[in-house]
């Protein structure tokens, strides 16, 4: 039987969004962990070492309070920094911090890449949670990930609440976790236990990470629909012109603007034909022309081709940066504070989420 922790917020959101979202057909499993047969990634060896009696007892007690009744076979140091591996009967292992607050479930995979950089980087502080990994650490990690085909300088990496454990995403938005020396990788995410209960993903990290992503976006390449009454909220919407639910939401923009909501649209094509169609929209001469072209595509289905003189792709940079949002379906709707809306935008909860009436 699966543990409660195995219902991460992303999967719950996928179910909630089933009737108001277009799935991400281009998303692929991270080559770093989920497709080991194609990237020659080896399962992690059993971690060695002893755990103090105090930590062993504490982690067992935390799991007992959280309702985990499955047999715990052993607790050993994890190959992820500052974590301990709890080996559970008939389940993938858990990796937990010493205080039992932060938890990852999943098998670790050993990175097959040649390790070119052996120094351990300076590890993050609580103030850095959700911020982009510094360029020196990122360069060292990538130097040690040469055998992984889907890693590049464009891959986003963020500090988590566990020093030494880094959150990353492929450019298709598929998340993974990796040790800061890039030696061990898993496709899990960090969840939280509070007051003896699994509470889902680390919300503080998610919010701060998303805020970090927003700060890197080129605002000039967002198509913005400004509030037409005193502004009460700002939202970011990742959209695709061929997504029917994106079109449904687009029809509500005028009403949202009247209610004081400014909408910043991230061009996020997920359908194959959308890339060139949306490039055409973003190639228009000015902001007003872009808005007009996007409106026409969303409201009538008619696409505006790129100007003959436009050879650039003004869409790509923001879409790549938005990989850090780990978007699995469109429209993806975020408040300015980084919180993702995880229900139907047609429900009463949506306006409540925005803080408007």
């Amino acid at each position: 039987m699966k543990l409660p922790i195995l219902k991460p917020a992303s999967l719950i959101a996928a179910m909630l969004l089933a009737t108001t979202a277009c799935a991400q057909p281009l998303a692929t499993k991270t080559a770093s962990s989920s497709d080991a047969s194609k990237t020659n990634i080896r399962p992690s060896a059993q971690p060695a070492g002893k755990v103090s009696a105090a930590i062993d007892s504490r982690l067992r007690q935390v799991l007992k309070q959280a309702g985990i009744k499955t047999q715990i076979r052993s607790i050993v140091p994890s190959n992820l920094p500052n974590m301990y591996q709890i080996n559970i009967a008939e389940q993938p292992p858990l990796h937990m911090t010493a205080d039992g607050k932060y938890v990852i479930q999943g098998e670790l995979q050993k990175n097959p890449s040649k390790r070119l950089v052996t120094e351990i980087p300076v590890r993050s502080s609580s103030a850095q949670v959700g911020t982009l990994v510094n360029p020196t650490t990122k360069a060292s990690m990538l130097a040690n990930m040469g055998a992984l085909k889907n890693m590049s300088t464009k891959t986003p990496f963020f500090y988590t609440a566990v020093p030494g454990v880094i959150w990353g995403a492929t450019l298709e938005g598929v998340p993974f976790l990796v040790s800061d020396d890039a030696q061990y990788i898993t496709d899990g995410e960090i969840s939280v236990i509070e007051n003896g209960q699994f509470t889902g993903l680390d919300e503080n990290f998610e919010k701060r990470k998303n805020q970090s992503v927003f700060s890197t976006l080129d605002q000039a390449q967002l198509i913005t629909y400004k509030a037409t009454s005193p502004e009460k909220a700002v939202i970011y919407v990742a959209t695709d012109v061929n997504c029917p639910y994106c079109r449904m939401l687009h029809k509500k923009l005028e009403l949202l603007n009247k209610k004081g909501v400014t909408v910043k649209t991230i061009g996020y094509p997920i359908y194959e034909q959308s890339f060139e169609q949306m490039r055409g929209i973003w190639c228009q001469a000015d902001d007003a022309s872009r808005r007009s072209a996007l409106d026409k595509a969303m409201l009538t289905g008619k696409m505006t081709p790129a100007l003959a003189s436009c050879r650039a792709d003004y869409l790509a940079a923001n879409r790549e940066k938005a990989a850090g949002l780990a978007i699995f379906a469109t429209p993806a709707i975020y408040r300015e504070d980084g919180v993702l809306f995880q229900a139907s935008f047609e429900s009463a909860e949506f306006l409540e989420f925005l803080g408007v009436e």
Side-chain angles (χ1 to χ4, degrees):
M1 187 170 75
K2 289 288 188 181
L3 303 177
I5 193 172
L6 292 181
K7 288 207 173 187
S10 58
L11 295 182
I12 294 172
M15 291 185 286
L16 290 172
L17 286 167
T19 59
T20 55
C22 303
Q24 164 71 289
L26 297 180
T28 56
K29 292 181 181 179
T30 171
S32 56
S33 59
S34 300
D35 203 1
S37 63
K38 294 183 180 179
T39 54
N40 299 315
I41 293 181
R42 302 183 298 275
S44 169
Q46 176 70 39
K50 294 183 178 180
V51 176
S52 71
I55 290 176
D56 184 287
S57 176
R58 181 185 306 125
L59 295 183
R60 289 176 187 272
Q61 183 63 26
V62 168
L63 291 173
K64 181 179 179 180
Q65 289 176 343
I68 303 304
K69 298 179 180 179
T70 310
Q71 178 191 3
I72 296 175
R73 290 177 170 168
S74 64
I75 299 179
V76 296
S78 173
N79 282 323
L80 290 177
N82 295 303
M83 303 198 87
Y84 296 88
Q85 179 169 313
I86 296 92
N87 296 309
I88 300 175
E90 300 179 356
Q91 292 287 333
L94 297 177
H95 304 269
M96 299 181 69
T97 50
D99 59 5
K101 181 176 181 180
Y102 297 105
V103 190
I104 301 165
Q105 184 172 47
E107 297 285 356
L108 302 183
Q109 304 291 331
K110 180 68 173 72
N111 177 6
S113 308
K114 183 176 180 180
R115 188 171 183 180
L116 300 179
V117 180
T118 58
E119 295 87 352
I120 299 297
V122 175
R123 292 193 163 143
S124 58
S125 66
S126 59
Q128 292 174 287
V129 173
T131 63
L132 284 162
V133 167
N134 72 65
T136 301
T137 297
K138 180 174 180 177
S140 296
M141 291 176 64
L142 289 174
N144 290 338
M145 302 174 91
L148 304 180
K149 296 179 181 179
N150 58 354
M151 299 295 157
S152 74
T153 55
K154 295 178 180 179
T155 303
F157 293 104
F158 296 83
Y159 294 111
T160 71
V162 183
V165 177
I166 303 298
W167 184 98
T170 68
L171 292 184
E172 292 79 19
V174 181
F176 59 90
L177 295 167
V178 58
S179 57
D180 58 1
D181 60 4
Q183 294 305 291
Y184 295 95
I185 303 171
T186 180
D187 59 1
E189 293 208 59
I190 297 179
S191 295
V192 175
I193 296 178
E194 288 184 337
N195 301 318
Q197 299 291 323
F198 288 100
T199 61
L201 299 187
D202 183 357
E203 292 182 0
N204 179 58
F205 165 75
E206 293 292 328
K207 287 175 60 176
R208 294 175 67 173
K209 169 182 67 68
N210 294 342
Q211 289 173 27
S212 295
V213 173
F214 298 154
S215 71
T216 68
L217 296 176
D218 182 350
Q219 296 291 316
Q221 300 306 328
L222 300 175
I223 297 180
T224 300
Y225 295 82
K226 294 183 178 180
T228 53
S229 64
E231 188 176 87
K232 297 178 181 177
V234 176
I235 60 173
Y236 288 82
V237 177
T239 196
D240 181 299
V241 292
N242 289 299
C243 165
Y245 299 109
C246 297
R247 292 180 177 182
M248 290 169 61
L249 176 61
H250 199 88
K251 292 177 181 178
K252 296 179 179 292
L253 295 193
E254 184 177 359
L255 176 61
L256 291 174
N257 291 161
K258 289 178 179 178
K259 290 181 176 293
V261 180
T262 291
V263 181
K264 296 186 176 183
T265 303
I266 305 169
Y268 199 86
I270 59 173
Y271 294 100
E272 185 175 357
Q273 68 270 30
S274 300
F275 284 82
E276 182 59 25
Q277 290 172 343
M278 295 180 73
R279 188 187 77 85
I281 293 170
W282 262 257
C283 258
Q284 298 307 301
D286 51 46
D287 291 343
S289 298
R290 289 179 183 178
R291 278 194 301 273
S292 177
L294 182 59
D295 288 342
K296 183 186 294 185
M298 289 297 200
L299 302 177
T300 71
K302 295 181 179 179
M303 304 299 167
T304 304
L307 300 172
S309 59
C310 181
R311 296 286 184 265
D313 186 349
Y314 295 110
L315 202 63
N318 274 350
R319 193 189 190 283
E320 289 168 356
K321 292 171 183 176
L325 299 173
I327 294 167
F328 56 89
T330 55
I333 306 168
Y334 299 84
R335 279 196 320 235
E336 195 174 28
D337 64 358
V339 177
L340 170 67
F341 183 61
Q342 299 191 53
S344 169
F345 57 77
E346 295 184 297
S347 69
E349 293 175 295
F350 186 43
L351 294 182
E352 183 179 342
F353 172 79
L354 300 178
V356 299
E357 298 179 354

